Amino acid sequence: MVPKIMKQGWLAPLLYLGPALLIMLVFVIYPTVNTVILSFMDRTGTQSAAVDCSSDAPCWGVFENYRYALTTPIMLTALRNNALWLLLMVPGTVAVGLLFALLADRVRYESLAKSIVFMPMAISFIGAGVIWRFMYYIQTGGGAQIGLLNAILVKLGSQPVAFLSDSRFNNFSLMVVGVWLWAGFCMTILSAALKGLPTEVLEAARVDGANEWNLFWSVMFPMVLPTVVVVTTTMVINVLKIFDIVFVMTGGNYGTEVIANRMFQLIVTDTGKSMAIAVLLIILTIPVMIFNVRRFRAEEAMR
Amino acid sequence: MNPLNRLNKLFSKLPLHLAIIIMCILWLVPTLGLFVTSFRTRQAVRETGWWTVFSKQTVAGQAEYNTYCASCHGTDGKKIANANLADPTIANQFTRSINLLLDLQKPINNGPHLVDPQLPTNATKAQAILSPILTYMRALSGHVETSGKLTLSNYLDALVGYKGTANYLSDCQQKVPGTLVVFNCTSADLLNQAGMGRAFLNTIAVAIPSTIIPIFFAALAAYAFAWLDFKGRQWLFALLVGLQIIPLQMVLVPIARLYVSVGLQSSFLGIWLFHTGFGLPYAIYLMRNFIGGLPREIFESVYLDGASHWTAFRTLALPLAMPAIASLGIFQFLWIWNDFLVAKIFLSTKPVLTVQITNLIDPLGGNWNILTGAAFLSFIIPMAVFFAFQKYFARGLLSGSVKG
């Protein structure tokens, strides 16, 4: 470990660690504690949340903000939508990423193809939101459809669809944007894992007459499973905190509300409720985070 | 390999190539649409899809004109001498399609102007037909843009934050009063508060210090964790690393309140400090692993030569840690460049690119030409960084996705 020759007093560590410790105390530890406290206070953060109770409605006393976060219709919608994202968008993104990593591995223009799919990760979610608002745009009241998707629908003889405001489709429309953004990330990580597989094993299986389908499911997939798990949990965290896409595309209207957007919308008008939602968010993410960090350390140790 | 075999191989791989190419096209088309639209005129964007610039299409409005007008006025508009639609003075009478609609509703030769086919009775629907016809009449008179024409004016409009219905340059030339209220029509407009030019500078002012400061402090702390001996080293490191799991949403409000009480709201210093605090846990973790992994012998030898810790840090640890610093720096820089939430809350009066884009969004979709230009302006730097440093970026993403 540390060479003996470098023994020093307490002053040196303090000087080196001091700035970082001070900043993190002020910007991470203090606000986290304060947020938990504020989640039990009213909209101005000055008195107990219980003052918001009215006599003719259910009341959870000092936990009133949590009643809002867990039982009100808008929050139930948000929780349902986050669950939908988890169930559909996360597996979808990982599957698309894995499929593309597998396919691109077999052609000579691999790096170009991968760059194209990876590129959306470089731009902001707000920018991606603009790109897709334009894709989904619907022209009402006559005139040609200038959004690509509706132009295709009309060309095929169908009615144009309000992709972002029709509550039958809009959550899926938003998820497509998520897949478009993150598939490249999943692909890059999974592609690295696939390339790390020992070629002898794959060759041996091929010699034994395994077809590509069997080879994938019984040899490759089990071997990259740890990476698939890391990518999936990372996506789970991203999706639990999903905010920018929803904010810029629908503002959480028309039944597309998600937890983090509700938190943001209430930040100014009702601090207590907003902070209760933030606490709910951290409670949901912590188990996944701990799992993910551990997994990541284990991967790191194996390198 | 003989040619036949080669052909065979190509065919057996055809589905594979197709699948990859289709997927690449699906991924490119949305961005391509944005890019193309940012070079089209406002009117062209409203009338035809961006993909029409690739087809050798008929001039905008020609189809409508042929249906409603050509039978009497002729395909070139000149068939009726005293109603020559190719005459610019006629086209200029109708600045808006509603004017044309009113004119068409007046009887002509003791009968309705349009007999077969008739215009829809609904005024909005009728205008949707007349607006392209007007465009076509202007094209016939050879005096305005056809919808294929590309322009750079959207980028200028985005830079200055123009919100009118024509474009900044022509408004300035024609001294449009509404535009003169907002703009000076000098180069100072490039720094207009509502424009992307100012937002670009603000973003740079946020991103560069917010990248350098946390990395410097993290390097200091990482050096201490790796090469200084003190009590509680292990658990302190574990605690700091554990702070990575705190999501952004947990810390926003208390810090915003703190800033209001000390006067740091909407200041660059405030947002630098915030990004520093929030970037540190991951940065320390990564730097500690890297600096701690450097060979111990080289440190021992400089200490034996009588070097201080500060010298060892400056001349050994920092230069040797450059690969880690580069990777971390690229990741932190892009994260901050693309950040919306933190800038929206802590820098509300000095909008950065992402915030300015949301300010430019017209819910009715009237300014796609400017909005797409604005979005593309915000992509230039991250795209360049991305293509130059792709390999650093990929790894940073995996480890860094725990952040934020």
Side-chain angles (χ1 to χ4, degrees):
Chain A
M1 282 310 286
V2 177
K4 284 215 174 52
I5 189 145
M6 318 159 42
K7 282 280 180 197
Q8 77 295 309
W10 53 269
L11 187 63
L14 193 70
L15 285 176
Y16 281 78
L17 282 175
L21 285 182
L22 185 70
I23 291 174
M24 283 165 64
L25 193 70
V26 176
F27 287 90
V28 186
I29 298 174
Y30 153 75
T32 302
V33 175
N34 199 351
T35 291
V36 176
I37 296 171
L38 284 174
S39 74
F40 296 106
M41 312 282 256
D42 73 340
R43 65 188 63 234
T44 59
T46 48
Q47 42 192 336
S48 161
V51 300
D52 281 344
C53 283
S54 56
S55 52
D56 52 349
C59 174
W60 290 11
V62 76
F63 291 98
E64 180 61 11
N65 293 327
Y66 288 88
R67 188 183 69 78
Y68 175 85
L70 293 169
T71 65
T72 48
I74 182 83
M75 277 305 292
L76 290 178
T77 307
L79 289 167
R80 182 206 66 187
N81 287 343
N82 273 87
L84 264 182
W85 278 76
L86 283 181
L87 288 174
L88 297 175
M89 184 272 187
V90 172
T93 313
V94 175
V96 170
L98 184 59
L99 179 72
F100 199 74
L102 280 169
L103 293 181
D105 198 31
R106 290 142 200 259
V107 295
R108 249 182 286 165
Y109 47 92
E110 178 186 1
S111 67
L112 174 69
K114 278 162 58 174
S115 289
I116 288 172
V117 175
F118 194 24
M119 194 183 57
M121 278 267 64
I123 64 176
S124 59
F125 292 165
I126 298 296
V130 172
I131 290 179
W132 281 92
R133 270 179 75 119
F134 192 47
M135 286 288 282
Y136 287 138
Y137 185 67
I138 178 168
Q139 186 89 275
T140 47
Q145 293 297 334
I146 60 167
L148 180 60
L149 295 176
N150 273 319
I152 292 174
L153 283 180
V154 169
K155 195 99 188 164
L156 294 176
S158 152
Q159 286 294 311
V161 168
F163 287 102
L164 294 177
S165 53
D166 188 325
S167 57
R168 284 172 299 168
F169 314 105
N170 52 11
N171 278 305
F172 303 103
S173 306
L174 296 181
M175 283 180 219
V176 166
V177 183
V179 174
W180 181 80
L181 272 167
W182 268 304
F185 161 71
C186 298
M187 172 206 69
T188 306
I189 309 295
L190 291 166
S191 172
L194 286 171
K195 287 193 190 308
L197 294 181
T199 43
E200 311 87 62
V201 179
L202 302 182
E203 283 309 314
R206 283 203 181 95
V207 169
D208 286 347
N211 63 29
E212 293 294 310
W213 180 254
N214 288 334
L215 182 72
F216 173 72
W217 281 113
S218 50
V219 183
M220 294 169 99
F221 189 74
M223 289 175 90
V224 294
L225 191 60
T227 314
V228 172
V229 172
V230 169
V231 169
T232 308
T233 50
T234 306
M235 286 305 302
V236 167
I237 295 164
N238 286 335
V239 159
L240 283 172
K241 293 191 291 193
I242 187 86
F243 162 69
D244 308 42
I245 296 179
V246 177
F247 175 83
V248 72
M249 296 195 66
T250 64
N253 296 312
Y254 321 112
T256 58
E257 191 61 284
V258 289
I259 302 173
N261 187 56
R262 194 90 291 262
M263 185 256 162
F264 176 79
Q265 300 295 346
L266 290 171
I267 255 184
V268 177
T269 53
D270 197 330
T271 318
K273 291 190 174 67
S274 178
M275 295 300 93
I277 298 170
V279 173
L280 176 67
L281 198 64
I282 196 178
I283 292 173
L284 290 174
T285 48
I286 272 188
V288 197
M289 278 285 202
I290 291 174
F291 179 78
N292 203 33
V293 170
R294 277 210 185 132
R295 261 337 249 262
F296 181 65
R297 301 274 186 284
E299 286 253 302
E300 192 103 303
M302 274 159 39
R303 265 172 231 276
Chain B
M1 205 189 279
N2 73 43
L4 201 66
N5 268 349
R6 210 178 280 180
L7 202 65
N8 242 332
K9 201 174 165 200
L10 185 73
F11 271 112
S12 68
K13 274 194 150 189
L14 204 58
L16 173 70
H17 290 299
L18 271 181
I20 293 177
I21 290 167
I22 287 174
M23 192 156 160
C24 285
I25 290 174
L26 285 180
W27 251 251
L28 272 180
V29 161
T31 318
L32 184 70
L34 178 97
F35 188 60
V36 170
T37 303
S38 72
F39 292 105
R40 303 182 73 212
T41 61
R42 179 185 170 94
Q43 201 186 355
V45 171
R46 289 159 67 115
E47 281 167 6
T48 54
W50 57 268
W51 51 91
T52 56
V53 302
F54 296 110
S55 59
K56 236 188 160 178
Q57 30 115 196
T58 51
V59 186
Q62 188 168 20
E64 288 88 348
Y65 175 88
N66 284 343
T67 314
Y68 290 92
C69 317
S71 58
C72 297
H73 291 270
T75 47
D76 58 356
K78 293 176 184 164
K79 203 167 155 189
I80 304 175
N82 55 0
N84 179 0
L85 298 186
D87 180 354
T89 51
I90 292 197
N92 284 346
Q93 278 175 18
F94 308 107
T95 46
R96 301 182 54 210
S97 55
I98 183 79
N99 301 348
L100 181 58
L101 178 64
L102 294 176
D103 215 59
L104 291 179
Q105 282 165 347
K106 291 177 195 156
I108 197 157
N109 301 333
N110 302 322
H113 192 134
L114 281 167
V115 187
D116 181 38
Q118 285 182 327
L119 277 175
T121 43
N122 177 319
T124 322
K125 283 185 181 160
Q127 277 177 269
I129 294 166
L130 291 179
S131 157
I133 290 181
L134 257 182
T135 313
Y136 189 68
M137 280 169 65
R138 291 198 196 103
L140 276 181
S141 60
H143 112 110
V144 254
E145 58 220 82
T146 49
S147 91
K149 203 176 112 190
L150 298 182
T151 171
L152 278 173
S153 73
N154 299 326
Y155 283 92
L156 185 61
D157 290 355
L159 282 172
V160 299
Y162 175 79
K163 292 206 170 81
T165 51
N167 71 66
Y168 167 76
L169 221 51
S170 72
D171 272 14
C172 273
Q173 276 158 3
Q174 294 167 14
K175 302 209 170 9
V176 174
T179 299
L180 292 181
V181 172
V182 188
F183 297 107
N184 307 317
C185 292
T186 63
S187 59
D189 287 342
L190 288 172
L191 293 182
N192 179 34
Q193 174 70 16
M196 293 296 279
R198 170 63 73 91
F200 202 91
L201 294 187
N202 286 342
T203 309
I204 289 176
V206 172
I208 292 178
S210 304
T211 305
I212 295 173
I213 302 171
I215 291 182
F216 179 72
F217 285 144
L220 276 178
Y223 180 83
F225 279 124
W227 301 108
L228 297 184
D229 196 16
F230 56 94
K231 241 188 205 160
R233 199 166 61 124
Q234 298 296 342
W235 71 257
L236 197 57
F237 181 61
L239 173 78
L240 293 198
V241 169
L243 290 181
Q244 280 180 74
I245 64 166
I246 309 278
L248 195 55
Q249 282 84 354
M250 276 303 276
V251 300
L252 292 174
V253 168
I255 295 179
R257 294 176 156 227
L258 184 72
Y259 277 3
V260 170
S261 63
V262 297
L264 274 177
Q265 76 273 35
S266 260
S267 70
F268 284 116
L269 179 62
I271 199 164
W272 294 340
L273 287 172
F274 183 88
H275 279 307
T276 302
F278 210 73
L280 270 175
Y282 171 63
I284 292 178
Y285 164 73
L286 194 92
M287 296 290 282
R288 153 74 183 77
N289 282 2
F290 198 89
I291 293 180
L294 296 172
R296 172 189 161 142
E297 294 76 26
I298 54 169
F299 282 93
E300 278 178 335
S301 69
V302 294
Y303 294 135
L304 280 172
D305 287 347
S308 67
H309 277 298
W310 180 240
T311 316
F313 172 74
R314 229 163 17 97
T315 60
L316 263 187
L318 267 191
L320 287 176
M322 265 310 158
I325 290 177
S327 178
L328 191 63
I330 290 161
F331 181 73
Q332 174 87 354
F333 179 81
L334 284 182
W335 195 85
I336 291 166
W337 190 276
N338 289 333
D339 158 75
F340 168 75
L341 184 55
V342 177
K344 174 91 181 161
I345 289 180
F346 291 108
L347 214 56
S348 49
T349 61
K350 300 185 179 80
V352 298
L353 290 168
T354 47
V355 174
Q356 199 75 289
I357 290 175
T358 59
N359 292 340
L360 285 172
I361 290 178
D362 170 3
L364 299 174
N367 64 346
W368 282 116
N369 57 324
I370 297 177
L371 193 58
T372 51
F376 209 81
L377 282 173
S378 79
F379 295 166
I380 294 172
I381 297 283
M383 289 265 192
V385 171
F386 172 77
F387 282 111
F389 304 105
Q390 218 183 118
K391 61 174 180 187
Y392 291 105
F393 185 52
R395 177 137 185 80
L397 261 182
L398 176 62
S399 30
S401 51
V402 199
K403 166 193 166 125

